[in-house]
Amino acid sequence: MQTGGSCESPTETKKGKTKTPRKPKDNLLKQKSPAEFFAENKNIAGFDNPGKCLYTTVRELVENALDSAESISELPVVEIMIEEIGKSKFNSMIGLVDHERVDEELYDDYETAKAREKRLAKEARNQEIQAKNAALGKKVKEPAAPKAIRGRGEASFYRVTCKDNGKGMPHDDIPNMFGRVLSGTKYGLKQTRGKFGLGAKMALIWSKMSTGLPIEISSSMKGQNYITFCRLDIDIHRNIPHIHLHEKRHNKERWHGAEIQVVIEGNWTTYRSKILHYMRQMAVITPYAQFLFKFVSDAPDKNVTIRFARRTDIMPPVPPETKYHPSAVDLLLIKRLIAETSKQNLLQFLQHEFVNIGKSYAERLIGEMGPEFSPKMAVKSLTSQQIVRIHQLFRQAKFDDPSGDCLSPAGEYNLRLGIIKELHPDIVATYSGSAQVFEGHPFIVEAGVSVGGKDVKQGLNIFRFANRIPLLFEQGADVVTRTALKRINWNSYKINQTQDKVGVFVSIVSTKVPFKGTGKEYIGDDISEIASAVKTSIQQCCIQLKSKIVKKIQAREQQERKRNLSKYIPDATNAVYDVLREMSSHASKRRRFEGGDAELLKKVSTHLITKDTLREKLAQHVEQVDYEMALEYATQSGVREEPRENIYIPALGVENKFIDLHGLNFVFRLFL
């Protein structure tokens, strides 16, 4: 409070000196590590809730296992086990003694006397209503089991174990491969299964957040006589591994691969169907892999064991790393390529760091950039303005489209086998399109359409794959779903999209899959090149199916015609035979006929022609007429019977030396 007209500033001290105001702590510059960022925004990586966390952990481990086996051209054998851990067992694992409740009212699941009275009254009313309905003879519904009261703090824990026969990991690299976010071997421009490059690291972060327990890794590379065992967790704030144990153990069985074990909070009840659906779809797109899935619980009736057998030993080639297309780069990427290149001058840089730029075309581009550019100028000496000029020219110049040689689709052969193996459809058709381009990135669309099958619902059943991994969430906004529902006229292909059991399978592979949303669970409908390719692929499958369906319709109609005609054979036989017998019994009537007619009446009178003879002749006539009608219908509709050839598939267990020749629609195996 100011007195005496003083004009002193409130920041002045009694001695008249000014004190520097302190900065609030909120204004201090803070920094977050990548691990800390993903821990706080775990939904970005698919860890939205405990159930989704369990699903995503399984998915990440399975996909890593497949990548590891395929990288050394080994037919994948993947074993995945989810073990339910009770509260007492979990407490003993972390060294916590079970504690009985002292103050019940303190807990969230405490039921007050009033709430209990209300619940019991409701149960009594329901029982009374059911008794009245039973007395009146009405159908009585079985009372629902009372829901267990579950508190917010009561969680379910699971041990997830994944074992493979893949490449394994180097002993010294394991801590950083699991304990350092955004470090890995999959970065670069190539077709990969991963979405963020997090892999099992996010499972480790979730484990640390929900249980505090470390992850355990056992790994051995081909030819090693030891197994690396590592137990570690992650220092989230510093983004570095915290190693508990890292040692070498004797490898008696010469096993190679990796076994990863992590304990996390999850929810098997709500995500059981999603996890099993994921495994089934993965078996469709990778029929060359063998999966063994187990869920183990203290309650034996909850246990699940499913084996997805291998159907073929033909594997797609490993996708190679490729170079960037000039139309797909930005300023930041050009600067990074300049910083990392080993080339000295601009001409060499353009030739070797980008696809579809030859020497002559690179010289033309440099000439178009302006007089300050020359082929021999040092690429490291380029200024920011000059880099902008290069970027502008890349956006405006014309370049050949990149080829699809860097892509590795599943292939029609594998896609068809996977569909047949898992769905057992009545008929199936597949199609693999040629490589196309969007925003400088090549992509290939493969499709399959099936009708009928086991465990398939009526209507359209849509299965989506991106870089050979299933997409299960946010299906409604996906380009495949919208195309199948809105852009395909199923009736024109003799397919009833509401009554028939139709399976629609679409697999898209690319060096850059244009996912939408934070979870990267669907491909947007706004890229016309992909939408058009998806529609064409599905239509090509439908065209193949139409000819098969028409043949089935013809066969069904032929059977119906034959059945209708055959139905009247007994009555027609009796009527005709009675007339002939009547005519043959009167000599005056017989004299009216000559030649063949007279001979016929004579055979009737002498019982050379009987009812059985007539019935047999009529049946033969029906067969002949039916065949002629079917042939005429087929000729008019342009449908012809294709020649059929026997196909012999050798057993997988026989070891032979052979060479595989891959085509778009077949795999030709030459045995040596």
Side-chain angles (χ1 to χ4, degrees):
M1 182 176 179
Q2 294 182 357
T3 57
S6 173
C7 59
E8 286 186 357
S9 170
T11 58
E12 293 182 6
T13 61
K14 292 180 180 179
K15 296 180 180 180
K17 293 183 179 180
T18 304
K19 184 185 288 185
T20 305
R22 292 183 180 179
K23 289 184 179 180
K25 288 186 178 181
D26 293 343
N27 294 336
L28 293 176
L29 187 64
K30 295 181 180 179
Q31 216 173 358
K32 285 184 181 179
S33 72
E36 195 173 2
F37 171 81
F38 280 105
E40 294 178 1
N41 301 276
K42 58 185 183 297
N43 61 301
I44 294 177
F47 285 73
D48 303 54
N49 53 65
K52 186 83 177 289
C53 290
L54 181 62
Y55 161 80
T56 307
T57 299
V58 170
R59 193 199 70 194
E60 293 287 359
L61 295 180
V62 168
E63 289 164 13
N64 282 352
L66 289 174
D67 285 336
S68 178
E70 290 173 6
S71 67
I72 56 172
S73 300
E74 189 89 16
L75 290 171
V77 178
V78 181
E79 299 177 8
I80 187 86
M81 183 172 72
I82 303 174
E83 181 185 353
E84 189 174 26
I85 298 175
K87 182 180 176 181
S88 298
K89 187 175 180 181
F90 175 75
N91 287 345
S92 66
M93 289 171 63
I94 62 175
L96 185 67
V97 180
D98 285 345
H99 177 69
E100 295 293 334
R101 294 183 179 185
V102 179
D103 188 352
E104 287 286 348
E105 295 184 12
L106 202 63
Y107 294 88
D108 179 60
D109 58 356
Y110 173 72
E111 188 179 26
T112 63
K114 188 176 180 181
R116 183 172 180 276
E117 183 181 346
K118 188 176 179 180
R119 176 174 60 81
L120 293 175
K122 185 178 179 181
E123 291 177 2
R125 283 196 304 271
N126 290 336
Q127 290 176 0
E128 186 178 348
I129 292 170
Q130 293 217 355
K132 287 182 180 179
N133 290 338
L136 295 173
K138 294 182 180 180
K139 189 175 180 180
V140 179
K141 294 182 180 179
E142 291 186 9
K147 294 183 180 179
I149 301 172
R150 189 187 185 94
R152 288 193 304 268
E154 192 173 345
S156 299
F157 300 99
Y158 301 88
R159 179 187 287 113
V160 183
T161 307
C162 184
K163 184 178 181 180
D164 63 67
N165 63 333
K167 181 181 180 180
M169 293 165 281
H171 177 82
D172 296 331
D173 292 346
I174 289 178
N176 283 330
M177 292 178 76
F178 285 87
R180 195 184 297 272
V181 173
L182 301 183
S183 66
T185 58
K186 295 183 181 179
Y187 295 115
L189 187 64
K190 62 179 178 179
Q191 175 191 325
T192 58
R193 282 193 172 95
K195 295 179 180 179
F196 295 97
L198 294 177
K201 303 180 190 73
M202 197 62 217
L204 175 55
I205 290 175
W206 173 242
S207 173
K208 188 172 179 66
M209 294 174 67
S210 59
T211 69
L213 292 172
I215 191 171
E216 293 184 355
I217 307 107
S218 298
S219 175
S220 180
M221 303 184 73
K222 229 172 186 179
Q224 285 183 347
N225 59 0
Y226 65 87
I227 295 175
T228 297
F229 178 79
C230 187
R231 184 184 297 119
L232 60 87
D233 61 23
I234 185 171
D235 187 331
I236 290 179
H237 300 292
R238 294 195 294 165
N239 191 32
I240 59 173
H242 177 217
I243 301 171
H244 297 242
L245 180 63
H246 191 196
E247 64 181 10
K248 295 180 180 179
R249 298 176 177 177
H250 189 56
N251 188 5
K252 296 180 181 178
E253 300 177 357
R254 294 291 176 176
W255 166 75
H256 65 86
E259 183 176 359
I260 300 168
Q261 189 176 103
V262 61
V263 179
I264 60 171
E265 181 186 348
N267 192 327
W268 167 256
T269 305
T270 55
Y271 273 76
R272 176 184 187 275
S273 61
K274 284 290 185 186
I275 293 172
L276 296 180
H277 199 194
Y278 168 82
M279 294 301 301
R280 187 188 189 194
Q281 289 198 30
M282 187 58 85
V284 168
I285 203 66
T286 55
Y288 52 86
Q290 177 179 309
F291 298 99
L292 176 62
F293 177 85
K294 289 183 179 180
F295 175 79
V296 180
S297 172
D298 292 336
D301 57 325
K302 289 185 179 180
N303 291 350
V304 176
T305 301
I306 304 176
R307 183 182 296 276
F308 299 91
R310 180 183 294 123
R311 181 63 186 265
T312 177
D313 57 355
I314 305 298
M315 288 175 59
V318 179
E321 190 169 349
T322 186
K323 298 173 184 176
Y324 288 94
H325 192 268
S327 63
V329 297
D330 53 33
L331 276 173
L332 192 63
L333 183 55
I334 295 174
K335 290 180 179 179
R336 181 168 69 81
L337 292 175
I338 290 172
E340 295 175 355
T341 186
S342 60
K343 304 304 174 185
Q344 300 299 318
N345 59 52
L346 181 58
L347 180 65
Q348 294 175 340
F349 172 73
L350 294 178
Q351 277 183 260
H352 294 92
E353 296 295 339
F354 301 96
V355 294
N356 296 351
I357 298 183
K359 183 178 180 181
S360 60
Y361 202 74
E363 290 173 343
R364 290 177 61 190
L365 288 172
I366 294 171
E368 185 65 25
M369 290 175 189
E372 66 271 20
F373 292 87
S374 68
K376 298 296 183 182
M377 71 182 298
V379 69
K380 302 284 187 181
S381 66
L382 289 171
T383 64
S384 297
Q385 291 79 9
Q386 289 174 326
I387 294 174
V388 171
R389 176 63 186 137
I390 294 173
H391 180 236
Q392 290 175 347
L393 184 59
F394 278 177
R395 296 183 66 177
Q396 297 169 2
K398 182 171 60 178
F399 299 95
D400 292 336
D401 289 337
S403 69
D405 296 341
C406 59
L407 301 179
S408 178
E412 277 193 71
Y413 179 78
N414 281 335
L415 183 59
R416 179 185 291 269
L417 281 181
I419 295 171
I420 293 172
K421 177 170 75 82
E422 294 303 321
L423 271 71
H424 305 284
D426 300 330
I427 50 176
V428 62
T430 54
Y431 174 79
S432 180
S434 57
Q436 300 185 49
V437 180
F438 80 96
E439 298 177 0
H441 296 279
F443 72 93
I444 294 176
V445 176
E446 295 177 307
V449 178
S450 66
V451 178
K454 183 180 72 172
D455 299 331
V456 183
K457 298 177 183 177
Q458 280 189 335
L460 294 181
N461 298 265
I462 297 173
F463 301 83
R464 304 169 294 132
F465 305 92
N467 281 352
R468 307 210 309 260
I469 62 170
L471 303 177
L472 300 188
F473 296 90
E474 301 184 56
Q475 179 171 297
D478 192 90
V479 61
V480 176
T481 306
R482 293 194 173 186
T483 300
L485 292 177
K486 298 180 180 179
R487 302 185 187 123
I488 303 295
N489 185 4
W490 296 97
N491 291 329
S492 64
Y493 302 106
K494 309 294 183 184
I495 298 173
N496 188 327
Q497 70 180 94
T498 56
Q499 297 297 322
D500 292 336
K501 297 178 178 180
V502 184
V504 180
F505 305 80
V506 176
S507 172
I508 300 173
V509 295
S510 176
T511 52
K512 181 185 177 182
V513 178
F515 289 114
K516 297 289 184 181
T518 55
K520 292 191 174 185
E521 288 290 350
Y522 72 99
I523 299 172
D525 195 27
D526 54 343
I527 299 175
S528 58
E529 295 91 343
I530 293 181
S532 175
V534 169
K535 181 180 178 181
T536 300
S537 300
I538 296 176
Q539 285 177 330
Q540 289 297 321
C541 293
C542 292
I543 290 170
Q544 297 175 45
L545 285 181
K546 184 178 179 180
S547 63
K548 299 178 182 179
I549 293 171
V550 167
K551 288 180 183 178
K552 291 185 72 174
I553 293 173
Q554 289 174 9
R556 190 163 58 244
E557 290 177 348
Q558 185 178 354
Q559 291 177 355
E560 189 66 25
R561 285 195 306 270
K562 186 177 177 181
R563 186 162 53 247
N564 289 337
L565 290 171
S566 301
K567 183 170 62 176
Y568 298 107
I569 287 178
D571 294 336
T573 300
N574 292 333
V576 172
Y577 186 76
D578 289 343
V579 171
L580 292 175
R581 191 176 58 181
E582 180 67 24
M583 292 172 65
S584 64
S585 62
H586 295 83
S588 59
K589 291 182 179 179
R590 282 203 309 270
R591 285 195 292 268
R592 297 178 189 173
F593 300 95
E594 297 178 354
D597 295 338
E599 186 68 24
L600 175 65
L601 293 175
K602 185 179 178 181
K603 288 182 178 180
V604 171
S605 62
T606 57
H607 299 291
L608 292 175
I609 293 179
T610 62
K611 283 186 180 182
D612 293 337
T613 310
L614 278 178
R615 190 179 295 109
E616 184 180 345
K617 292 293 182 183
L618 278 174
Q620 292 176 0
H621 182 69
V622 166
E623 289 279 357
Q624 182 66 25
V625 170
D626 184 63
Y627 175 76
E628 290 174 356
M629 290 177 66
L631 187 63
E632 181 182 1
Y633 179 81
T635 304
Q636 291 175 355
S637 61
V639 178
R640 60 188 178 85
E641 185 69 24
E642 295 287 348
R644 297 180 181 180
E645 296 181 4
N646 293 329
I647 298 176
Y648 299 96
I649 301 177
L652 292 177
V654 180
E655 292 186 3
N656 293 304
K657 294 183 178 180
F658 53 81
I659 298 174
D660 285 340
L661 304 175
H662 292 262
L664 287 175
N665 302 320
F666 68 92
V667 177
F668 180 77
R669 175 163 289 178
L670 178 64
F671 288 91
L672 304 176

PDB file of all heavy atoms in Angstrom, residues 1 296 529:
ATOM      1  N   MET A   1       0.856  -1.187   0.000  1.00  0.00           N
ATOM      2  CA  MET A   1       0.000   0.000   0.000  1.00  0.00           C
ATOM      3  C   MET A   1       0.888   1.231   0.000  1.00  0.00           C
ATOM      4  O   MET A   1       1.830   1.340   0.772  1.00  0.00           O
ATOM      5  CB  MET A   1      -0.888  -0.011   1.245  1.00  0.00           C
ATOM      6  CG  MET A   1      -1.846   1.150   1.292  1.00  0.00           C
ATOM      7  SD  MET A   1      -2.930   0.984   2.714  1.00  0.00           S
ATOM      8  CE  MET A   1      -3.896   2.468   2.510  1.00  0.00           C
ATOM      9  N   VAL A 296      -2.671 -70.181 -22.260  1.00  0.00           N
ATOM     10  CA  VAL A 296      -2.637 -71.053 -21.078  1.00  0.00           C
ATOM     11  C   VAL A 296      -3.209 -70.293 -19.895  1.00  0.00           C
ATOM     12  O   VAL A 296      -2.792 -69.162 -19.604  1.00  0.00           O
ATOM     13  CB  VAL A 296      -1.194 -71.509 -20.772  1.00  0.00           C
ATOM     14  CG1 VAL A 296      -1.175 -72.412 -19.561  1.00  0.00           C
ATOM     15  CG2 VAL A 296      -0.588 -72.208 -21.976  1.00  0.00           C
ATOM     16  N   GLU A 529      -4.749 -43.302 -57.492  1.00  0.00           N
ATOM     17  CA  GLU A 529      -4.010 -44.401 -58.116  1.00  0.00           C
ATOM     18  C   GLU A 529      -4.252 -45.720 -57.380  1.00  0.00           C
ATOM     19  O   GLU A 529      -4.480 -46.765 -58.002  1.00  0.00           O
ATOM     20  CB  GLU A 529      -2.501 -44.104 -58.127  1.00  0.00           C
ATOM     21  CG  GLU A 529      -2.102 -42.919 -58.976  1.00  0.00           C
ATOM     22  CD  GLU A 529      -2.080 -41.611 -58.198  1.00  0.00           C
ATOM     23  OE1 GLU A 529      -2.675 -41.571 -57.096  1.00  0.00           O
ATOM     24  OE2 GLU A 529      -1.473 -40.647 -58.687  1.00  0.00           O
TER      25      GLU A 529
END
